[in-house]
Each structure stands twice: as C-alpha cells, then as structure tokens.
Amino acid sequence: GIDFLGYIVYEDYIKVRKRSVKKFNKKIKIWNKLYKEKRFNEKDFILSFNAWLGYIKHANSYRLKNKMISKMKFLDKNSNKN
C-alpha cells in the first residue's frame, strides 16, 4: 500500500495509518485516567472524538471504530448503539 495523508491506500481498500491508531490509543488511556480521577472534560472529549470519527470514516474502519469505543471505559455501553 501507499502511505498518503494518514492512510495506507491499497488497490481495493484504505486503512488508517498505524501511527495514527497508536496516538489515538494513547488519548484513550489518558481519557480513562482522567475519568477515573474525576478530571474528565466531556466537551474536549466530544470535540476530539468527533474529529477522529471524521478522519477514520474515509477508510475501511468499522472494526477499528468499534474496537476503540470498547476501550473507552467511561462510555455507557447501553447508550452507544452505533
């Protein structure tokens, strides 16, 4: 595949770059820690998470999105039906 603008472009599909996924995993760890310490800022989370969703929607990323959401310990799993 060809590395282009944060994606790895293959002939039949597009993947999110590993470096971007790792950076987002670090953010999730930070959010989980802040939530546990009761210092979680929901507004900042919503802005950042929506930007991430906008970024990954251009790739074949259904499983990636669900995997990342499952790592977010602070989300109410019953209210998230995406």
Side-chain angles (χ1 to χ4, degrees):
I2 298 170
D3 187 356
F4 182 69
L5 295 176
Y7 303 97
I8 306 296
V9 181
Y10 295 93
E11 189 173 333
D12 297 332
Y13 59 98
I14 300 172
K15 292 173 67 175
V16 176
R17 187 188 288 156
K18 276 188 184 181
R19 177 176 27 186
S20 301
V21 174
K22 286 181 181 183
K23 283 175 71 175
F24 196 70
N25 271 323
K26 285 182 184 179
K27 270 191 175 181
I28 291 173
K29 286 181 184 180
I30 291 169
W31 289 330
N32 285 334
K33 182 180 176 188
L34 290 174
Y35 183 76
K36 189 175 180 180
E37 296 172 354
K38 308 252 190 268
R39 297 186 311 138
F40 184 73
N41 185 336
E42 189 173 349
K43 183 179 177 183
D44 288 344
F45 161 73
I46 290 171
L47 291 172
S48 185
F49 187 59
N50 283 335
W52 171 257
L53 290 177
Y55 163 61
I56 67 168
K57 78 177 183 179
H58 299 289
N60 302 90
S61 59
Y62 178 78
R63 285 190 204 150
L64 175 63
K65 180 180 94 171
N66 289 335
K67 185 177 178 181
M68 293 300 171
I69 290 172
S70 71
K71 292 180 181 184
M72 297 178 191
K73 298 174 183 171
F74 49 87
L75 290 181
D76 179 14
K77 303 298 185 214
N78 297 325
S79 67
N80 189 12
K81 299 291 183 188
N82 292 348

